[in-house]
Amino acid sequence: MTLSLSRPEGFEGGVSLHPKATGEKSKGAPEKYLRETQNFLGQKATQWPQGVIIAGGGTGGHVFTGLAIAQELKRLQPTGQILFVGSRSGLEARAIPQAGFPLSCIGVSGLKGKPWWRKVSALARAGWAVCRALWFVYRFRPGVVLGVGGYAGGPVVLAAWLLRIPTAICEPNSVPGLTNRLLKPFVKRVYGGFRNSMRWFDAKRFVLTGIPLRSDLRRARAPAPSTSNKPVRVLILGGSQGARALNQAVPTALGLLRQHNVRLHVTHQSGAADHAEVEQAYARHGLTHVRVAPFIDDIAAAYAACDLLIARAGAGTCAEIAQVGAVTILIPLPTAADDHQTHNALELANVNAAAHLLQQDLTPQRLSQLMLDLIRDPQRRAKMQQAARRQAQPNAAEHIARDLMRLANKSR
């Protein structure tokens, strides 16, 4: 995740600045904030730069990438207007209004892995979504449109291209998703999170920026490895919706660690569906210092109190691991599109910045032994932490935001 030395024409890097992003929080319910978007769309962006539309979402990797860029745009140009366009069924329906940004929704669904009749229905919905996106883009009249991945981004970026508005996409994964692969002929710039993703795009449009992180995560730091007899603080992250395989294996694995007199304090993001079941699993294994949450809102604080992390390998999580220097065991989701999580995990594991365990090899016994080996070897943990931090790109959001502003300015 090192910044590329070859840059597209007109791209300029920024300086390292880390002040807290500005922007008011939404005081009303997300549903009320969504209804207010129609009034927002009637306001043409008149301040420099012209308004920015950020489109896409679905999962935390897409949503929080967009939020990080939006926060940086707001810091650089407080009067600039930003509109998110996503789906009502994605994480963005909650996270974007909570962060204080307006969100409009379009109906769109995925194609991969669906039977043919569902693909036909999805294509029909996509056609209607492009028409709706054309209305959003025409009314808002942004200076630039950014797609951050996820199916909702496709119609909006395409609509902007049809209206001759500059477009860009952000691809945080090592292997790009279907939406971004389809959009590559229609964009002026591709912001990449991993060097491996460069081969999928036109080199003249690709810039390796790293993965944008929110301001609170750019300031967070995992604690240094300790040789003391204090309890080991373990954080489990299965993605924004939880991970059933981790929910089933990790409580048993941590229960096995008790046989080695390892004291544990556990924080586990389970997702809503498995929340009660995970709590019961920890209770069965006699683990008492446990907090199970469907979703952790203050993830920066969780990282700051984490001695050992067990996580999926989404692009956002990998970037956070590098930034905070977390000692991590990555267990990629094997069903992720194009197996991109395995490729993400290998980007860190190949430079000894994380341990890597395939889900097909995941058993409580094997995970417990891997954790025990790390806990008993503070020198290895220290080297892993240093290797992770060498992969960090804390200025990715600023580089992207400044380049989007230049693209918007050129379109005036």
Side-chain angles (χ1 to χ4, degrees), residues 25-220:
K25 298 282 186 182
S26 170
K27 296 181 180 179
E31 294 79 8
K32 179 181 178 182
Y33 208 141
L34 289 172
R35 289 195 297 270
E36 293 173 355
T37 300
Q38 185 171 0
N39 294 330
F40 182 81
L41 284 170
Q43 304 173 23
K44 181 179 177 181
T46 56
Q47 298 290 334
W48 186 89
Q50 293 171 278
V52 177
I53 289 180
I54 299 176
T59 65
H62 301 311
V63 173
F64 294 124
T65 291
L67 274 177
I69 297 168
Q71 288 178 342
E72 194 64 20
L73 284 165
K74 203 68 176 175
R75 183 187 70 81
L76 294 170
Q77 181 61 47
T79 58
Q81 296 180 12
I82 300 169
L83 172 67
F84 280 83
V85 180
S87 167
R88 287 188 181 275
S89 61
L91 178 64
E92 62 269 25
R94 179 179 69 87
I96 299 301
Q98 282 185 351
F101 293 99
L103 170 70
S104 287
C105 296
I106 57 175
V108 65
S109 58
L111 296 173
K112 297 192 71 172
K114 302 287 181 67
W116 68 268
W117 62 88
R118 290 188 179 272
K119 290 183 178 180
V120 171
S121 174
L123 286 171
R125 286 166 61 88
W128 170 244
V130 172
C131 295
R132 188 164 171 78
L134 280 165
W135 185 84
F136 285 149
V137 176
Y138 177 76
R139 289 291 302 274
F140 185 59
R141 302 181 189 179
V144 64
V145 171
L146 172 70
V148 292
Y151 293 109
V156 183
V157 173
L158 183 58
W161 178 80
L162 289 170
L163 293 172
R164 298 189 177 184
I165 293 170
T167 56
I169 54 176
C170 186
E171 180 47 67
N173 288 300
S174 182
V175 177
L178 176 62
T179 300
N180 278 354
R181 293 207 301 268
L182 293 174
L183 289 175
K184 62 183 180 181
F186 308 107
V187 299
K188 290 183 176 292
R189 198 84 84 235
V190 178
Y191 306 113
F194 290 104
R195 187 175 298 278
N196 185 62
S197 63
M198 187 185 302
R199 62 192 176 93
W200 295 88
F201 300 103
D202 182 353
K204 294 180 180 179
R205 304 179 188 184
F206 186 94
V207 59
L208 187 60
T209 58
I211 300 167
L213 294 176
R214 292 167 291 162
S215 56
D216 57 338
L217 286 164
R218 295 201 299 269
R219 295 189 298 269

Side-chain angles (χ1 to χ4, degrees), residues 234-350:
V234 182
L235 175 63
I236 300 95
L237 299 176
S240 55
Q241 300 174 359
R244 187 154 186 80
L246 271 61
N247 290 344
Q248 292 176 335
V250 172
T252 304
L254 294 177
L256 292 173
L257 279 181
R258 296 181 68 225
Q259 300 175 9
H260 299 276
N261 297 318
V262 177
R263 293 187 297 152
L264 300 167
H265 286 180
V266 180
T267 302
H268 189 133
Q269 180 175 283
S270 63
D274 291 347
H275 180 246
E277 182 181 333
V278 174
E279 284 189 322
Q280 293 166 8
Y282 280 115
R284 285 196 303 271
H285 291 288
L287 294 162
T288 55
H289 293 282
V290 176
R291 175 197 169 209
V292 181
F295 185 80
I296 299 173
D297 288 307
D298 192 353
I299 192 63
Y303 280 129
C306 164
D307 298 310
L308 179 61
L309 171 66
I310 302 170
R312 289 300 199 192
T317 300
C318 290
E320 292 163 8
I321 290 166
Q323 179 61 34
V324 305
V327 177
T328 307
I329 299 172
L330 290 171
I331 305 173
L333 175 66
T335 57
D338 303 302
D339 200 23
H340 68 260
Q341 286 207 10
T342 297
H343 292 278
N344 292 348
L346 288 172
E347 292 270 356
L348 294 180
N350 287 342

